[in-house]
């Protein structure tokens, strides 16, 4: 379970949020541009720091201003798929997916076994040697997701994961993405502007307005 109770002063408003996401649940985060959605993901992932408050995952604090806890991103167990995918364009598909494991100093034999399994499951094994810059948008999305999943995260964060795809590809990828996320069984937050994503992939949805929760409930209700 992910627990969030934080405050952060932004340029135009103060972000003040209290949220929780249960195990195996997907929360869809919606709202206008600049309302704090991506900022929240970055705070959870440890790429930015709240001014005060607490973020905990399965009871373990990732950030706690009162206790002076602020774990680095690599120690949080968070898989993050960025809106731009943030792949290393000069590196192969294989090396992009292996990157997080190598950063954790895993033995190369174990890395190879795990990367091979994830690439085959994602339908990417045949293009493993291709540079990330040279593959299609849908393949980039799969590479980014495989890279996030291979570290066996305890939490998944996805920022507009389908926005770079054309409409035809989005429809196919929604179902695929939903099944992949549900198979992980971990809390997940997905930022989106597309209400089709909310209905197709979300258990619950949260509408943000200027850094605050304006509405929260079942995806179809919100």
């Amino acid at each position: 379970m992910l627990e969030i109770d934080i405050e952060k002063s932004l340029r135009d408003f103060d972000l003040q949020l209290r949220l929780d996401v249960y195990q195996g649940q997907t929360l869809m985060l919606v709202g206008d541009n600049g309302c704090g959605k991506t900022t929240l993901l970055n705070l959870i992932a440890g790429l930015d720091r709240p001014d005060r408050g607490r973020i905990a995952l399965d009871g373990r604090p990732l950030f706690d201003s009162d206790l002076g806890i602020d774990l680095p991103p690599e120690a949080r167990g968070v898989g993050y798929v960025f809106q731009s995918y943030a792949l290393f364009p000069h590196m192969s598909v294989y090396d992009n997916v292996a990157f997080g494991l190598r950063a954790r100093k895993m033995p190369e034999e174990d890395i190879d076994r795990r990367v091979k399994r994830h690439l085959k499951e994602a339908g990417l094994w045949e293009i493993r040697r291709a540079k990330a810059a040279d593959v299609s948008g849908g393949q980039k999305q799969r590479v980014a997701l495989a890279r996030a999943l291979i570290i066996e995260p305890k939490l998944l964060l996805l920022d507009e994961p389908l926005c770079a795809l054309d409409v035809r590809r989005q429809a196919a990828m929604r179902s695929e993405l939903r099944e992949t996320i549900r198979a992980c069984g971990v809390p997940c937050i997905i930022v989106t502007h597309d209400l089709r994503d909310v209905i197709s992939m979300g258990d619950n949805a949260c509408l943000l307005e200027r850094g605050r929760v304006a509405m929260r409930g079942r995806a179809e209700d919100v």
Side-chain angles (χ1 to χ4, degrees), residues 47-76:
L47 304 178
D48 199 356
R49 189 177 190 276
D51 295 332
R52 63 192 66 84
R54 183 174 186 267
I55 302 171
L57 184 57
D58 296 334
R60 170 181 173 244
L62 308 181
F63 174 86
D64 192 313
S65 56
D66 291 338
L67 298 177
I69 296 172
D70 186 13
L71 297 184
E74 63 272 15
R76 296 194 176 203

PDB file of all heavy atoms in Angstrom, residues 47-76:
ATOM      1  N   LEU A  47      12.706  11.992  -7.171  1.00  0.00           N
ATOM      2  CA  LEU A  47      13.372  12.910  -8.091  1.00  0.00           C
ATOM      3  C   LEU A  47      13.173  14.359  -7.670  1.00  0.00           C
ATOM      4  O   LEU A  47      13.859  15.255  -8.176  1.00  0.00           O
ATOM      5  CB  LEU A  47      12.842  12.701  -9.511  1.00  0.00           C
ATOM      6  CG  LEU A  47      12.962  11.275 -10.058  1.00  0.00           C
ATOM      7  CD1 LEU A  47      12.362  11.193 -11.452  1.00  0.00           C
ATOM      8  CD2 LEU A  47      14.417  10.823 -10.062  1.00  0.00           C
ATOM      9  N   ASP A  48      12.258  14.588  -6.774  1.00  0.00           N
ATOM     10  CA  ASP A  48      12.012  15.902  -6.180  1.00  0.00           C
ATOM     11  C   ASP A  48      11.653  15.658  -4.716  1.00  0.00           C
ATOM     12  O   ASP A  48      11.346  14.531  -4.317  1.00  0.00           O
ATOM     13  CB  ASP A  48      10.878  16.618  -6.926  1.00  0.00           C
ATOM     14  CG  ASP A  48      10.874  18.114  -6.680  1.00  0.00           C
ATOM     15  OD1 ASP A  48      11.703  18.598  -5.875  1.00  0.00           O
ATOM     16  OD2 ASP A  48      10.022  18.808  -7.273  1.00  0.00           O
ATOM     17  N   ARG A  49      11.685  16.702  -3.923  1.00  0.00           N
ATOM     18  CA  ARG A  49      11.536  16.535  -2.473  1.00  0.00           C
ATOM     19  C   ARG A  49      10.373  17.383  -1.953  1.00  0.00           C
ATOM     20  O   ARG A  49      10.315  18.584  -2.217  1.00  0.00           O
ATOM     21  CB  ARG A  49      12.840  16.955  -1.783  1.00  0.00           C
ATOM     22  CG  ARG A  49      12.924  16.634  -0.316  1.00  0.00           C
ATOM     23  CD  ARG A  49      14.303  17.042   0.221  1.00  0.00           C
ATOM     24  NE  ARG A  49      14.518  16.537   1.562  1.00  0.00           N
ATOM     25  CZ  ARG A  49      14.104  17.135   2.670  1.00  0.00           C
ATOM     26  NH1 ARG A  49      13.421  18.274   2.577  1.00  0.00           N
ATOM     27  NH2 ARG A  49      14.350  16.609   3.848  1.00  0.00           N
ATOM     28  N   PRO A  50       9.438  16.773  -1.192  1.00  0.00           N
ATOM     29  CA  PRO A  50       8.391  17.581  -0.562  1.00  0.00           C
ATOM     30  C   PRO A  50       8.988  18.551   0.464  1.00  0.00           C
ATOM     31  O   PRO A  50      10.083  18.328   0.977  1.00  0.00           O
ATOM     32  CB  PRO A  50       7.514  16.528   0.133  1.00  0.00           C
ATOM     33  CG  PRO A  50       7.864  15.224  -0.492  1.00  0.00           C
ATOM     34  CD  PRO A  50       9.301  15.341  -0.890  1.00  0.00           C
ATOM     35  N   ASP A  51       8.243  19.601   0.763  1.00  0.00           N
ATOM     36  CA  ASP A  51       8.673  20.508   1.832  1.00  0.00           C
ATOM     37  C   ASP A  51       8.452  19.860   3.194  1.00  0.00           C
ATOM     38  O   ASP A  51       9.246  20.047   4.116  1.00  0.00           O
ATOM     39  CB  ASP A  51       7.889  21.825   1.757  1.00  0.00           C
ATOM     40  CG  ASP A  51       8.203  22.597   0.483  1.00  0.00           C
ATOM     41  OD1 ASP A  51       9.330  22.449  -0.045  1.00  0.00           O
ATOM     42  OD2 ASP A  51       7.321  23.331   0.010  1.00  0.00           O
ATOM     43  N   ARG A  52       7.370  19.117   3.275  1.00  0.00           N
ATOM     44  CA  ARG A  52       7.067  18.430   4.537  1.00  0.00           C
ATOM     45  C   ARG A  52       6.079  17.301   4.262  1.00  0.00           C
ATOM     46  O   ARG A  52       5.432  17.279   3.213  1.00  0.00           O
ATOM     47  CB  ARG A  52       6.481  19.402   5.576  1.00  0.00           C
ATOM     48  CG  ARG A  52       5.166  20.020   5.197  1.00  0.00           C
ATOM     49  CD  ARG A  52       4.789  21.165   6.117  1.00  0.00           C
ATOM     50  NE  ARG A  52       5.719  22.275   5.970  1.00  0.00           N
ATOM     51  CZ  ARG A  52       5.612  23.200   5.012  1.00  0.00           C
ATOM     52  NH1 ARG A  52       4.616  23.146   4.133  1.00  0.00           N
ATOM     53  NH2 ARG A  52       6.478  24.172   4.932  1.00  0.00           N
ATOM     54  N   GLY A  53       5.979  16.373   5.226  1.00  0.00           N
ATOM     55  CA  GLY A  53       5.010  15.296   5.094  1.00  0.00           C
ATOM     56  C   GLY A  53       5.653  13.923   5.104  1.00  0.00           C
ATOM     57  O   GLY A  53       6.802  13.749   5.533  1.00  0.00           O
ATOM     58  N   ARG A  54       4.914  12.946   4.557  1.00  0.00           N
ATOM     59  CA  ARG A  54       5.352  11.558   4.620  1.00  0.00           C
ATOM     60  C   ARG A  54       4.875  10.797   3.383  1.00  0.00           C
ATOM     61  O   ARG A  54       3.742  10.973   2.934  1.00  0.00           O
ATOM     62  CB  ARG A  54       4.794  10.892   5.880  1.00  0.00           C
ATOM     63  CG  ARG A  54       5.232   9.452   6.116  1.00  0.00           C
ATOM     64  CD  ARG A  54       4.720   8.962   7.471  1.00  0.00           C
ATOM     65  NE  ARG A  54       5.226   7.642   7.797  1.00  0.00           N
ATOM     66  CZ  ARG A  54       4.594   6.496   7.522  1.00  0.00           C
ATOM     67  NH1 ARG A  54       3.417   6.536   6.897  1.00  0.00           N
ATOM     68  NH2 ARG A  54       5.127   5.335   7.855  1.00  0.00           N
ATOM     69  N   ILE A  55       5.744   9.962   2.840  1.00  0.00           N
ATOM     70  CA  ILE A  55       5.406   9.015   1.777  1.00  0.00           C
ATOM     71  C   ILE A  55       5.881   7.653   2.248  1.00  0.00           C
ATOM     72  O   ILE A  55       7.065   7.489   2.589  1.00  0.00           O
ATOM     73  CB  ILE A  55       6.094   9.376   0.445  1.00  0.00           C
ATOM     74  CG1 ILE A  55       5.707  10.792  -0.001  1.00  0.00           C
ATOM     75  CG2 ILE A  55       5.722   8.360  -0.640  1.00  0.00           C
ATOM     76  CD1 ILE A  55       6.517  11.290  -1.188  1.00  0.00           C
ATOM     77  N   ALA A  56       4.991   6.672   2.299  1.00  0.00           N
ATOM     78  CA  ALA A  56       5.352   5.340   2.781  1.00  0.00           C
ATOM     79  C   ALA A  56       4.833   4.278   1.821  1.00  0.00           C
ATOM     80  O   ALA A  56       3.766   4.431   1.218  1.00  0.00           O
ATOM     81  CB  ALA A  56       4.794   5.101   4.172  1.00  0.00           C
ATOM     82  N   LEU A  57       5.596   3.205   1.668  1.00  0.00           N
ATOM     83  CA  LEU A  57       5.236   2.090   0.807  1.00  0.00           C
ATOM     84  C   LEU A  57       5.315   0.810   1.618  1.00  0.00           C
ATOM     85  O   LEU A  57       6.375   0.464   2.153  1.00  0.00           O
ATOM     86  CB  LEU A  57       6.188   2.025  -0.387  1.00  0.00           C
ATOM     87  CG  LEU A  57       5.921   0.966  -1.459  1.00  0.00           C
ATOM     88  CD1 LEU A  57       4.511   1.121  -2.026  1.00  0.00           C
ATOM     89  CD2 LEU A  57       6.956   1.053  -2.559  1.00  0.00           C
ATOM     90  N   ASP A  58       4.179   0.144   1.765  1.00  0.00           N
ATOM     91  CA  ASP A  58       4.086  -1.059   2.596  1.00  0.00           C
ATOM     92  C   ASP A  58       4.583  -0.780   4.018  1.00  0.00           C
ATOM     93  O   ASP A  58       5.253  -1.614   4.628  1.00  0.00           O
ATOM     94  CB  ASP A  58       4.892  -2.207   1.975  1.00  0.00           C
ATOM     95  CG  ASP A  58       4.345  -2.642   0.626  1.00  0.00           C
ATOM     96  OD1 ASP A  58       3.130  -2.437   0.399  1.00  0.00           O
ATOM     97  OD2 ASP A  58       5.114  -3.162  -0.200  1.00  0.00           O
ATOM     98  N   GLY A  59       4.245   0.402   4.528  1.00  0.00           N
ATOM     99  CA  GLY A  59       4.622   0.775   5.880  1.00  0.00           C
ATOM    100  C   GLY A  59       6.042   1.283   6.033  1.00  0.00           C
ATOM    101  O   GLY A  59       6.426   1.748   7.109  1.00  0.00           O
ATOM    102  N   ARG A  60       6.834   1.221   4.987  1.00  0.00           N
ATOM    103  CA  ARG A  60       8.234   1.666   5.020  1.00  0.00           C
ATOM    104  C   ARG A  60       8.322   3.099   4.501  1.00  0.00           C
ATOM    105  O   ARG A  60       7.955   3.389   3.376  1.00  0.00           O
ATOM    106  CB  ARG A  60       9.075   0.742   4.142  1.00  0.00           C
ATOM    107  CG  ARG A  60      10.501   1.190   3.883  1.00  0.00           C
ATOM    108  CD  ARG A  60      11.175   0.158   2.978  1.00  0.00           C
ATOM    109  NE  ARG A  60      12.482   0.565   2.543  1.00  0.00           N
ATOM    110  CZ  ARG A  60      12.823   0.796   1.287  1.00  0.00           C
ATOM    111  NH1 ARG A  60      11.914   0.676   0.325  1.00  0.00           N
ATOM    112  NH2 ARG A  60      14.053   1.131   0.965  1.00  0.00           N
ATOM    113  N   PRO A  61       8.815   4.029   5.320  1.00  0.00           N
ATOM    114  CA  PRO A  61       8.876   5.413   4.857  1.00  0.00           C
ATOM    115  C   PRO A  61       9.913   5.610   3.754  1.00  0.00           C
ATOM    116  O   PRO A  61      11.060   5.201   3.897  1.00  0.00           O
ATOM    117  CB  PRO A  61       9.258   6.201   6.118  1.00  0.00           C
ATOM    118  CG  PRO A  61       9.643   5.222   7.151  1.00  0.00           C
ATOM    119  CD  PRO A  61       9.257   3.866   6.713  1.00  0.00           C
ATOM    120  N   LEU A  62       9.448   6.214   2.658  1.00  0.00           N
ATOM    121  CA  LEU A  62      10.363   6.633   1.603  1.00  0.00           C
ATOM    122  C   LEU A  62      10.823   8.062   1.860  1.00  0.00           C
ATOM    123  O   LEU A  62      11.952   8.433   1.530  1.00  0.00           O
ATOM    124  CB  LEU A  62       9.681   6.550   0.239  1.00  0.00           C
ATOM    125  CG  LEU A  62       9.013   5.217  -0.129  1.00  0.00           C
ATOM    126  CD1 LEU A  62       8.399   5.313  -1.525  1.00  0.00           C
ATOM    127  CD2 LEU A  62      10.001   4.077  -0.046  1.00  0.00           C
ATOM    128  N   PHE A  63       9.899   8.840   2.434  1.00  0.00           N
ATOM    129  CA  PHE A  63      10.192  10.212   2.839  1.00  0.00           C
ATOM    130  C   PHE A  63       9.405  10.518   4.097  1.00  0.00           C
ATOM    131  O   PHE A  63       8.223  10.193   4.191  1.00  0.00           O
ATOM    132  CB  PHE A  63       9.805  11.209   1.736  1.00  0.00           C
ATOM    133  CG  PHE A  63       9.952  12.645   2.147  1.00  0.00           C
ATOM    134  CD1 PHE A  63      11.176  13.294   2.024  1.00  0.00           C
ATOM    135  CD2 PHE A  63       8.880  13.351   2.678  1.00  0.00           C
ATOM    136  CE1 PHE A  63      11.320  14.611   2.433  1.00  0.00           C
ATOM    137  CE2 PHE A  63       9.011  14.671   3.080  1.00  0.00           C
ATOM    138  CZ  PHE A  63      10.234  15.306   2.953  1.00  0.00           C
ATOM    139  N   ASP A  64      10.068  11.116   5.062  1.00  0.00           N
ATOM    140  CA  ASP A  64       9.391  11.540   6.295  1.00  0.00           C
ATOM    141  C   ASP A  64      10.144  12.747   6.840  1.00  0.00           C
ATOM    142  O   ASP A  64      11.273  12.620   7.325  1.00  0.00           O
ATOM    143  CB  ASP A  64       9.372  10.406   7.326  1.00  0.00           C
ATOM    144  CG  ASP A  64       8.432  10.697   8.487  1.00  0.00           C
ATOM    145  OD1 ASP A  64       8.494  11.826   9.020  1.00  0.00           O
ATOM    146  OD2 ASP A  64       7.652   9.807   8.869  1.00  0.00           O
ATOM    147  N   SER A  65       9.522  13.917   6.720  1.00  0.00           N
ATOM    148  CA  SER A  65      10.206  15.143   7.136  1.00  0.00           C
ATOM    149  C   SER A  65      10.439  15.178   8.648  1.00  0.00           C
ATOM    150  O   SER A  65      11.450  15.711   9.105  1.00  0.00           O
ATOM    151  CB  SER A  65       9.408  16.369   6.696  1.00  0.00           C
ATOM    152  OG  SER A  65       8.078  16.325   7.196  1.00  0.00           O
ATOM    153  N   ASP A  66       9.535  14.589   9.427  1.00  0.00           N
ATOM    154  CA  ASP A  66       9.702  14.593  10.886  1.00  0.00           C
ATOM    155  C   ASP A  66      10.857  13.696  11.321  1.00  0.00           C
ATOM    156  O   ASP A  66      11.579  14.008  12.270  1.00  0.00           O
ATOM    157  CB  ASP A  66       8.409  14.142  11.577  1.00  0.00           C
ATOM    158  CG  ASP A  66       7.290  15.153  11.438  1.00  0.00           C
ATOM    159  OD1 ASP A  66       7.597  16.342  11.192  1.00  0.00           O
ATOM    160  OD2 ASP A  66       6.114  14.759  11.565  1.00  0.00           O
ATOM    161  N   LEU A  67      11.036  12.563  10.620  1.00  0.00           N
ATOM    162  CA  LEU A  67      12.090  11.612  10.990  1.00  0.00           C
ATOM    163  C   LEU A  67      13.388  11.855  10.228  1.00  0.00           C
ATOM    164  O   LEU A  67      14.385  11.164  10.462  1.00  0.00           O
ATOM    165  CB  LEU A  67      11.615  10.178  10.726  1.00  0.00           C
ATOM    166  CG  LEU A  67      10.393   9.708  11.516  1.00  0.00           C
ATOM    167  CD1 LEU A  67       9.997   8.299  11.091  1.00  0.00           C
ATOM    168  CD2 LEU A  67      10.672   9.761  13.013  1.00  0.00           C
ATOM    169  N   GLY A  68      13.373  12.815   9.295  1.00  0.00           N
ATOM    170  CA  GLY A  68      14.572  13.094   8.517  1.00  0.00           C
ATOM    171  C   GLY A  68      14.912  12.008   7.511  1.00  0.00           C
ATOM    172  O   GLY A  68      16.079  11.809   7.158  1.00  0.00           O
ATOM    173  N   ILE A  69      13.897  11.295   7.009  1.00  0.00           N
ATOM    174  CA  ILE A  69      14.107  10.209   6.036  1.00  0.00           C
ATOM    175  C   ILE A  69      13.828  10.728   4.633  1.00  0.00           C
ATOM    176  O   ILE A  69      12.791  11.347   4.380  1.00  0.00           O
ATOM    177  CB  ILE A  69      13.196   9.012   6.347  1.00  0.00           C
ATOM    178  CG1 ILE A  69      13.560   8.397   7.697  1.00  0.00           C
ATOM    179  CG2 ILE A  69      13.266   7.969   5.238  1.00  0.00           C
ATOM    180  CD1 ILE A  69      12.579   7.340   8.167  1.00  0.00           C
ATOM    181  N   ASP A  70      14.754  10.472   3.717  1.00  0.00           N
ATOM    182  CA  ASP A  70      14.575  10.820   2.306  1.00  0.00           C
ATOM    183  C   ASP A  70      15.412   9.844   1.485  1.00  0.00           C
ATOM    184  O   ASP A  70      16.568  10.108   1.157  1.00  0.00           O
ATOM    185  CB  ASP A  70      15.018  12.262   2.043  1.00  0.00           C
ATOM    186  CG  ASP A  70      14.724  12.710   0.618  1.00  0.00           C
ATOM    187  OD1 ASP A  70      13.970  12.007  -0.080  1.00  0.00           O
ATOM    188  OD2 ASP A  70      15.253  13.771   0.212  1.00  0.00           O
ATOM    189  N   LEU A  71      14.828   8.680   1.164  1.00  0.00           N
ATOM    190  CA  LEU A  71      15.569   7.647   0.456  1.00  0.00           C
ATOM    191  C   LEU A  71      15.881   8.087  -0.972  1.00  0.00           C
ATOM    192  O   LEU A  71      15.049   8.728  -1.625  1.00  0.00           O
ATOM    193  CB  LEU A  71      14.765   6.349   0.413  1.00  0.00           C
ATOM    194  CG  LEU A  71      14.448   5.664   1.752  1.00  0.00           C
ATOM    195  CD1 LEU A  71      13.728   4.342   1.493  1.00  0.00           C
ATOM    196  CD2 LEU A  71      15.701   5.439   2.563  1.00  0.00           C
ATOM    197  N   PRO A  72      17.060   7.735  -1.485  1.00  0.00           N
ATOM    198  CA  PRO A  72      17.374   8.052  -2.879  1.00  0.00           C
ATOM    199  C   PRO A  72      16.490   7.234  -3.819  1.00  0.00           C
ATOM    200  O   PRO A  72      15.961   6.185  -3.428  1.00  0.00           O
ATOM    201  CB  PRO A  72      18.856   7.654  -3.002  1.00  0.00           C
ATOM    202  CG  PRO A  72      19.064   6.625  -1.937  1.00  0.00           C
ATOM    203  CD  PRO A  72      18.159   7.015  -0.810  1.00  0.00           C
ATOM    204  N   PRO A  73      16.320   7.685  -5.065  1.00  0.00           N
ATOM    205  CA  PRO A  73      15.427   6.988  -5.999  1.00  0.00           C
ATOM    206  C   PRO A  73      15.715   5.502  -6.141  1.00  0.00           C
ATOM    207  O   PRO A  73      14.784   4.680  -6.165  1.00  0.00           O
ATOM    208  CB  PRO A  73      15.660   7.725  -7.323  1.00  0.00           C
ATOM    209  CG  PRO A  73      16.082   9.092  -6.913  1.00  0.00           C
ATOM    210  CD  PRO A  73      16.881   8.914  -5.654  1.00  0.00           C
ATOM    211  N   GLU A  74      16.987   5.129  -6.208  1.00  0.00           N
ATOM    212  CA  GLU A  74      17.330   3.722  -6.445  1.00  0.00           C
ATOM    213  C   GLU A  74      17.026   2.828  -5.253  1.00  0.00           C
ATOM    214  O   GLU A  74      17.017   1.592  -5.385  1.00  0.00           O
ATOM    215  CB  GLU A  74      18.810   3.586  -6.832  1.00  0.00           C
ATOM    216  CG  GLU A  74      19.787   4.012  -5.764  1.00  0.00           C
ATOM    217  CD  GLU A  74      20.133   5.489  -5.789  1.00  0.00           C
ATOM    218  OE1 GLU A  74      19.413   6.277  -6.456  1.00  0.00           O
ATOM    219  OE2 GLU A  74      21.116   5.869  -5.132  1.00  0.00           O
ATOM    220  N   ALA A  75      16.755   3.418  -4.089  1.00  0.00           N
ATOM    221  CA  ALA A  75      16.460   2.627  -2.893  1.00  0.00           C
ATOM    222  C   ALA A  75      14.963   2.531  -2.612  1.00  0.00           C
ATOM    223  O   ALA A  75      14.558   1.916  -1.625  1.00  0.00           O
ATOM    224  CB  ALA A  75      17.177   3.233  -1.680  1.00  0.00           C
ATOM    225  N   ARG A  76      14.140   3.117  -3.472  1.00  0.00           N
ATOM    226  CA  ARG A  76      12.700   3.189  -3.189  1.00  0.00           C
ATOM    227  C   ARG A  76      11.894   2.030  -3.767  1.00  0.00           C
ATOM    228  O   ARG A  76      10.736   1.845  -3.404  1.00  0.00           O
ATOM    229  CB  ARG A  76      12.131   4.519  -3.706  1.00  0.00           C
ATOM    230  CG  ARG A  76      12.720   5.718  -2.970  1.00  0.00           C
ATOM    231  CD  ARG A  76      11.957   6.984  -3.221  1.00  0.00           C
ATOM    232  NE  ARG A  76      12.501   8.086  -2.424  1.00  0.00           N
ATOM    233  CZ  ARG A  76      11.832   9.169  -2.081  1.00  0.00           C
ATOM    234  NH1 ARG A  76      10.582   9.327  -2.470  1.00  0.00           N
ATOM    235  NH2 ARG A  76      12.411  10.109  -1.352  1.00  0.00           N
TER     236      ARG A  76
END
